[in-house]
Amino acid sequence: MRAGELAAVRVRLEEFASEVFAPLVRRDQRAKGALYLRGLLLDGRRKSMQPMAERLGVDHQQLQQFMTSSTWPVDRVRARLAWRAVAAVRPQVWVVDDTGFPKDGRSSPGVARQYSGTLGKVGNCQIGVSVHAASDTASCPLSWRLFLPATWDGPEAEARRRACRIPDTEHHRPKWQLALDMLDELAATRLRPAVLVADTGYGANADFRHGLNERGLAWVLQVKGEMTAHSEEAVPHQPGYGGLGPRPLPRYRTRPASLREHVLAADRSQGRTVAWRKGSKAAMSSHFVLLRVRLAGRRPKPAADGTIPLSWLIAQWPEGESEPVKYWISNLPPDIPAKDLVRLTKARWRIEHDYRELKTALGLDHFEGRSFTGWHRHVTLVTAAHLFLTEQRRSPKAPARA
């Protein structure tokens, strides 16, 4: 936002900052939080602390001290933002995803040579895992976690951990576990998704799916066609009991087939064309084959009689293609309309808008500090700036430029 545009919404911004930073007990902390928020919203090529301080006309040490060494509860600010975001966005889904933060050197917390979808290759970067609330018209992050690779654990990492002030309680955990941790933290504030969606990096992980099921969450997850499943008609067989030892458990005698094989056997003619949202020029639509299958592989959870519950298999098979191009699975009810099921599979698209605005306009990946806590504070305040813009755009009285 230009200085004049920011001045025009000054009262709204002050009210927003007052509510968001209410958990900060000291007045000077609340003032610096509002100052940092203004710095993120003001137009500028870089949103690291020194250039922001220059645009704001303050000493950058004020911002640095607030972000790295001041004691204030980022989790409580994050909780207030999440509640406010859910109220503003009115989400149809929550989305789990991650994004890369390219870095030079080895000093930033969590930095390592690792695969980044942002880069599309292995590179020197940090990875942030995020949960977003999304609808067809708006979205906003709810929580963030910095992924710590395994190289940041162990005696050889002690010096780097001390330099980055990484708490002793923080160690390498897989990204899917960080996502579940965030869902638990949000659930503790009485926020739960109607449906959770995620891409293949999470959907293909049996432990992640098991964690969602344990939490009683509905989900639609993108997967690979190589995942295996039994057909809807498959039934478990009870082996005979010889009278010695524990009774054998029921099991399926048929070999599970890949999702790709299930869809090819059903044939494209069994599918239908479904439109899931309006595009800029026309309705977004494609051809889908919808099947009911029993997921095999790791950690299936059969009933007492050995039956594996049915799940949806959704395969996108566009015209002119010899086989499906994308696959999803879901535990949504069997009577959900096809249009609603397909719309939910495609709900992830909206958060690409989040990442684009968070990075290009608000400086999500501009943080140059070396503090683990500072990183989480920066992404939380960038989320606050993004939420403020989202609220402005959704208010007819005060439209905000992206």
Side-chain angles (χ1 to χ4, degrees), residues 5-18:
E5 293 173 318
L6 195 58
V9 295
R10 178 180 60 83
V11 173
R12 285 191 172 201
L13 182 58
E14 289 175 352
E15 292 173 349
F16 177 89
S18 176

Side-chain angles (χ1 to χ4, degrees), residues 245-310:
R247 289 183 178 274
L249 297 174
R251 60 177 181 268
Y252 287 85
R253 302 178 74 174
T254 55
R255 180 187 68 85
S258 70
L259 301 185
R260 175 179 176 275
E261 290 173 318
H262 280 291
V263 180
L264 291 177
D267 195 66
R268 188 177 185 276
S269 62
Q270 299 304 307
R272 68 197 81 179
T273 298
V274 181
W276 61 87
R277 67 178 175 88
K278 294 180 179 178
S280 57
K281 296 182 180 179
M284 305 287 288
S285 66
S286 188
H287 196 81
F288 294 87
V289 176
L290 309 179
L291 302 175
R292 300 285 281 166
V293 296
R294 304 179 189 276
L295 297 176
R298 291 183 58 242
R299 304 198 74 166
K301 195 172 184 181
D305 64 356
T307 302
I308 297 174
L310 287 167

Side-chain angles (χ1 to χ4, degrees), residues 74-82 142-145 185 380:
V74 67
D75 55 332
R76 293 174 61 190
V77 173
R78 198 161 53 209
R80 282 181 174 251
L81 289 171
L142 301 178
S143 193
W144 292 89
R145 290 292 187 279
E185 180 183 87
T380 298

Side-chain angles (χ1 to χ4, degrees), residues 151-186:
T151 53
W152 280 80
D153 282 348
E156 67 281 0
E158 286 183 3
R160 285 203 295 169
R161 290 178 63 92
R162 282 196 303 271
C164 295
R165 304 178 190 177
I166 299 176
D168 293 339
T169 55
E170 296 292 339
H171 295 280
H172 167 71
R173 280 176 291 173
K175 296 166 194 170
W176 63 264
Q177 184 62 64
L178 296 178
L180 292 179
D181 291 345
M182 286 187 279
L183 293 174
D184 289 342
E185 180 183 87
L186 290 161

Side-chain angles (χ1 to χ4, degrees), residues 68 99-114 124-128 145-149 151-153 157 159-167 170 367-379:
T68 60
T99 188
F101 299 71
K103 291 290 180 181
D104 297 321
R106 301 174 64 251
S107 300
S108 300
V111 72
R113 284 193 59 78
Q114 54 193 326
N124 198 63
C125 62
Q126 298 168 305
I127 300 291
R145 290 292 187 279
L146 179 63
F147 172 67
L148 290 177
T151 53
W152 280 80
D153 282 348
R160 285 203 295 169
R161 290 178 63 92
R162 282 196 303 271
C164 295
R165 304 178 190 177
I166 299 176
E170 296 292 339
F367 184 67
E368 297 175 352
R370 301 289 187 260
S371 162
F372 180 85
T373 299
W375 185 92
H376 284 90
R377 287 174 172 178
H378 174 76
V379 297

Side-chain angles (χ1 to χ4, degrees), residues 236-251:
H237 167 71
Q238 177 65 63
Y241 179 52
L244 295 175
R247 289 183 178 274
L249 297 174
R251 60 177 181 268

Side-chain angles (χ1 to χ4, degrees), residues 282-341:
M284 305 287 288
S285 66
S286 188
H287 196 81
F288 294 87
V289 176
L290 309 179
L291 302 175
R292 300 285 281 166
V293 296
R294 304 179 189 276
L295 297 176
R298 291 183 58 242
R299 304 198 74 166
K301 195 172 184 181
D305 64 356
T307 302
I308 297 174
L310 287 167
S311 300
W312 280 108
L313 163 57
I314 307 104
Q316 183 177 354
W317 195 340
E319 185 177 357
E321 296 290 342
S322 60
E323 62 179 77
V325 296
K326 291 182 180 179
Y327 299 85
W328 296 263
I329 54 175
S330 175
N331 67 345
L332 286 167
D335 58 350
I336 183 173
K339 184 175 181 179
D340 292 342
L341 188 59

